[in-house]
Amino acid sequence: MNRTILALTALTLLASAAQARTWDQIKAAGTIKIATEGAFKPFNYFEGKKLTGFEVDLGTAVAKQLGVKVEWITQPFDNLLIGLGQDRYDFVIASHGITPERAKAVDFSDPHYCTGGAIVSKPGGPKTAADLMGKTVAVQVGTTYLDNVKKVKGVKDVKTFPKDTDAEAALMAGRADAWVSDKFLGLDAIKSMPGKLVQGDLLFQEKIAMAVKKGNESLLKELNASLAKLENNGSYAKLSNQYFSQDIRCR
């Protein structure tokens, strides 16, 4: 899911002010620090105190492929790329969509899945961009979902929330006519509440990737190589089918 384009100028300055750990330094330490949000089911979320999800399992598999242990760090979504620029962790895997703005502040790996921003509503609610005319839409703050909803002509009101779960709750409570978020997140919500929600059209499509600090080419090379190996040996497809019953790689 494509998310925040916040404080990119500050991120660029942070990236130039400090030095990220190179792959050799990470390998020597034996542990890689990975950051995610932990509030974006089914990609990264908590089951009780356990951090889990597709991206968490994929990040763990990448680390195993690289031969290092993992230290997971969770941060609010809006803070993730800022923390990366401050060298609080080595890379981020948290459903960041690749955008030109973000690419100025961080370097992206090869995409680890493709998705899009989908409209979700109650049965009989809006399902297309045209249907959103005169409607109130709930969306997470700092996301490309918000950016794209703002481009839809005729939307009456856009309500922003700290988390997607809050935006979903607003829809369920009748405080919004539709909720726009990642299509797989929407499908998971629909699955958990049969008959109460339906998914409409995609407002846009996007490629999702891991992010490293700008200029950290040695780590980026290793992440791409590890991801390619997981795709080639069938591990990625197995994990994708486990969570989505389909292969969600970009085609």
Side-chain angles (χ1 to χ4, degrees), residues 1-5 40 43 77 95-97 102 113 115-118 137-152 158 164 179-185 203-204 206 208:
M1 90 187 206
N2 200 326
R3 320 230 277 166
T4 190
I5 308 175
F40 193 58
F43 293 96
F77 190 84
S95 290
H96 281 90
R102 286 177 180 156
Y113 75 93
T115 185
V137 181
V139 66
Q140 183 179 4
V141 69
T143 66
T144 50
Y145 308 128
L146 173 58
D147 297 332
N148 280 273
V149 168
K150 287 181 176 179
K151 296 176 184 177
V152 179
V158 180
D164 262 301
W179 162 43
V180 173
S181 186
D182 177 88
K183 73 172 184 179
F184 294 111
L185 182 70
L203 290 184
F204 63 100
E206 61 186 353
I208 307 299

Side-chain angles (χ1 to χ4, degrees), residues 3 19 25 41 86 96 122 168 183 235:
R3 320 230 277 166
Q19 183 66 46
Q25 291 172 321
K41 188 177 181 178
Q86 295 172 335
H96 281 90
K122 294 180 180 180
E168 178 189 348
K183 73 172 184 179
S235 298

